[in-house]
């Protein structure tokens, strides 16, 4: 048995002001949010109880992980990977929801304190959304730990909060333009919370640009994987590249997974993975009711219709400041030359 590893990073509370900013956007969290490590990844307070177990989670060489910051093409990639690993068995994929076929490691640790009881009584049909009913009864990471191989695992945690031997498994990381990420996150919370939603998009943007939404800072999250992009067990994708040429992305992932597919199969899988078809697929686009769609528009550049002139300048400052000195380059953002030289 491998020795138990203590966390190599510290966990601290966010400041009262930061906690207030976060809770303007997110409801149901009664305890103060926390920050993890030097980078200060924001997490719900409950993560503190699970962090050491997740860090010591036993990775298996035949695992396949999909790692993303939320709303960066996770579901899209999961469905692709599941089908490639299961011989493009479209019929089998219709028999169970994606959250069961490809469970989320840290799900239990992300559920708001108030939501635990609401899920148990199935308030607003929440128990049927993304496996929450199971996650409040049984620790999500423990459930996956005891699952038979080969395992397909989803996580929104950055690499530094995951097991240090993660890359003995195969990992697919998907990055996306942060400006589109904040828009997509806002609409997801708005759809789930409906009239209970307190925060406006402006509140979300204020929290986002201050790196105060769960899992942030997003650029650091992506950069951790970007620095490992040449590792033989990590395949790095950009959401925008998938949008531009999905068949090419499918070929790249299939080669990484060592799955031989014909051009006809690539074409068939690409058609299955169109957003029009995914939105109609109830086992992928899992929802609590007909008004909530987990799959949204599947577009790039939608942020432009949500940002005013002031927010555009703030976004440019946000991107330039956090990309300064990094080799990470988003397909949809050109770093200011002066910043890139610093």
């Amino acid at each position: 048995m491998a020795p138990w590893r203590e966390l190599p990073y510290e966990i601290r509370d966010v400041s009262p002001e930061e906690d207030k900013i976060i809770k303007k956007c997110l409801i149901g969290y009664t305890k103060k949010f926390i920050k993890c490590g030097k980078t200060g990844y924001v997490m719900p307070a409950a993560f503190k109880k699970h962090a050491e177990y997740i860090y010591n989670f036993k990775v298996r060489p035949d695992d396949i992980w999909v790692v993303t910051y939320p709303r960066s093409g996770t579901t899209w990639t999961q469905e692709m990977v599941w089908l490639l690993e299961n011989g493009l068995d479209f019929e089998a994929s219709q028999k169970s929801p994606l959250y069961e076929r490809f469970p989320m490691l840290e799900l239990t640790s992300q559920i708001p304190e108030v939501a635990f009881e609401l899920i148990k009584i199935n308030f607003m049909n929440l128990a049927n959304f993304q496996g929450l009913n199971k996650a409040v009864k049984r620790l999500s990471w423990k459930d996956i730990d005891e699952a038979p191989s080969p395992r397909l695992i989803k996580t929104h945690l950055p690499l530094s909060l995951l097991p240090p031997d993660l890359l003995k498994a195969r990992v697919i990381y998907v990055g996306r333009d942060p400006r589109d990420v904040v828009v997509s996150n806002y609409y997801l919370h708005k759809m789930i919370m409906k009239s209970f939603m307190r925060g406006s998009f402006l509140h979300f943007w204020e929290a986002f640009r201050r790196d105060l939404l769960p899992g942030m800072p997003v650029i650091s999250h992506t950069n951790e994987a970007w620095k490992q992009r040449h590792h033989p067990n990590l395949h790095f994708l950009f959401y925008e590249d998938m949008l531009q040429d999905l068949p090419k992305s499918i070929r790249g992932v299939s080669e990484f997974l060592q799955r031989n597919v014909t051009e006809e199969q690539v074409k068939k899988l690409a058609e299955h993975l169109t957003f029009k078809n995914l939105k109609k697929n109830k086992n992928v686009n899992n929802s609590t009711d007909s008004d909530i769609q987990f799959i949204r528009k599947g577009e790039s550049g939608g942020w432009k219709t949500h940002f005013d002139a002031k927010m555009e300048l703030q976004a440019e400052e946000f991107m330039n400041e956090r990309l300064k000195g990094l080799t990470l380059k988003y397909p949809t953002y050109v770093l200011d030359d002066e910043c890139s030289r610093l």
Side-chain angles (χ1 to χ4, degrees):
M1 182 179 291
W4 189 259
R5 298 173 292 224
E6 292 187 2
L7 291 180
Y9 58 85
E10 292 183 350
I11 296 176
R12 63 192 185 278
D13 289 344
V14 300
S15 71
E17 180 199 4
E18 289 172 331
D19 199 55
K20 187 176 179 180
I21 291 171
I22 297 168
K23 288 174 180 171
K24 277 184 180 179
C25 303
L26 310 176
I27 68 172
Y29 293 97
T30 57
K31 298 179 181 178
K32 189 176 286 187
F33 278 76
I34 59 173
K35 286 187 175 182
C36 301
K38 291 181 180 178
T39 305
Y41 287 110
V42 175
M43 292 289 159
F47 183 75
K48 193 183 300 184
K49 296 186 297 184
H50 303 274
E52 206 164 347
Y53 292 99
I54 288 172
Y55 191 72
N56 282 277
F57 181 84
K58 294 186 180 72
V59 178
R60 302 175 194 165
D62 57 356
D63 287 341
I64 298 173
W65 295 58
V66 167
V67 183
T68 68
Y69 184 82
R71 311 305 290 171
S72 298
T74 325
T75 303
W76 201 14
T77 309
Q78 285 175 271
E79 181 73 354
M80 179 202 299
V81 170
W82 191 91
L83 284 162
L84 286 171
E85 284 297 294
N86 287 273
L88 273 67
D89 192 338
F90 296 100
E91 186 177 338
S93 73
Q94 298 294 324
K95 293 179 180 177
S96 59
L98 186 58
Y99 64 77
E100 289 182 358
R101 294 182 276 131
F102 218 127
M104 179 176 171
L105 180 72
E106 71 278 12
L107 182 58
T108 300
S109 72
Q110 305 297 302
I111 300 172
E113 293 86 7
V114 173
F116 262 85
E117 297 307 315
L118 296 178
I119 292 166
K120 287 177 182 177
I121 63 172
N122 202 18
F123 179 72
M124 289 175 61
N125 206 23
L126 281 173
N128 296 322
F129 184 71
Q130 293 295 303
L132 292 179
N133 189 40
K134 189 176 183 181
V136 299
K137 296 175 181 176
R138 182 170 169 77
L139 298 171
S140 52
W141 54 264
K142 189 172 182 62
D143 205 40
I144 297 172
D145 183 53
E146 296 174 359
S149 293
R151 302 178 302 186
L152 301 179
I153 302 170
K154 158 192 168 179
T155 181
H156 292 312
L157 298 177
L159 299 187
S160 57
L161 303 189
L162 292 168
D165 58 348
L166 177 66
L167 291 179
K168 75 179 184 184
R170 282 171 292 177
V171 175
I172 297 168
Y173 187 94
V174 189
R176 186 183 186 186
D177 188 317
R179 296 167 296 182
D180 280 325
V181 166
V182 65
V183 173
S184 188
N185 268 282
Y186 168 69
Y187 278 107
L188 176 67
H189 283 85
K190 185 178 179 181
M191 286 188 288
I192 294 172
M193 293 294 101
K194 295 184 177 179
S195 59
F196 295 93
M197 178 77 169
R198 293 182 299 185
S200 65
F201 179 66
L202 194 58
H203 288 129
F204 257 77
W205 171 242
E206 181 62 22
F208 192 88
R209 76 185 189 92
R210 293 182 61 166
D211 290 324
L212 289 176
L213 290 181
M216 293 196 79
V218 60
I219 289 179
S220 296
H221 191 300
T222 301
N223 190 54
E224 285 190 17
W226 177 258
K227 289 191 293 186
Q228 297 278 6
R229 68 192 183 281
H230 299 306
H231 192 288
N233 277 359
L234 189 138
H235 185 71
F236 191 103
L237 284 169
F238 276 115
Y239 179 93
E240 292 79 10
D241 289 338
M242 293 171 70
L243 276 177
Q244 185 173 358
D245 193 339
L246 183 56
K248 181 180 179 181
S249 296
I250 291 171
R251 291 185 207 103
V253 171
S254 63
E255 183 178 346
F256 175 68
L257 297 177
Q258 298 179 331
R259 300 295 176 186
N260 294 322
V261 289
T262 66
E263 279 304 303
E264 185 60 32
Q265 289 174 317
V266 169
K267 183 178 178 181
K268 189 174 181 180
L269 181 53
E271 177 62 23
H272 174 83
L273 293 172
T274 62
F275 279 87
K276 179 183 72 174
N277 287 332
L278 290 184
K279 291 183 84 166
K280 293 186 292 186
N281 187 335
K282 65 182 179 65
N283 282 317
V284 175
N285 194 21
N286 175 256
S287 60
T288 54
D289 58 42
S290 58
D291 294 329
I292 299 179
Q293 300 293 312
F294 201 67
I295 301 290
R296 206 169 78 86
K297 291 187 175 181
E299 64 180 9
S300 175
W303 63 270
K304 295 174 185 176
T305 61
H306 293 78
F307 285 39
D308 60 23
K310 180 181 177 181
M311 293 163 76
E312 283 195 35
L313 287 174
Q314 289 174 335
E316 186 175 351
E317 181 182 354
F318 172 89
M319 298 289 283
N320 286 344
E321 184 179 304
R322 285 154 183 78
L323 286 169
K324 185 168 60 181
L326 306 182
T327 60
L328 172 63
K329 294 180 181 179
Y330 289 93
T332 48
Y333 189 77
V334 178
L335 182 64
D336 183 273
D337 285 341
E338 185 177 338
C339 291
S340 64
R341 288 195 299 269
L342 295 177

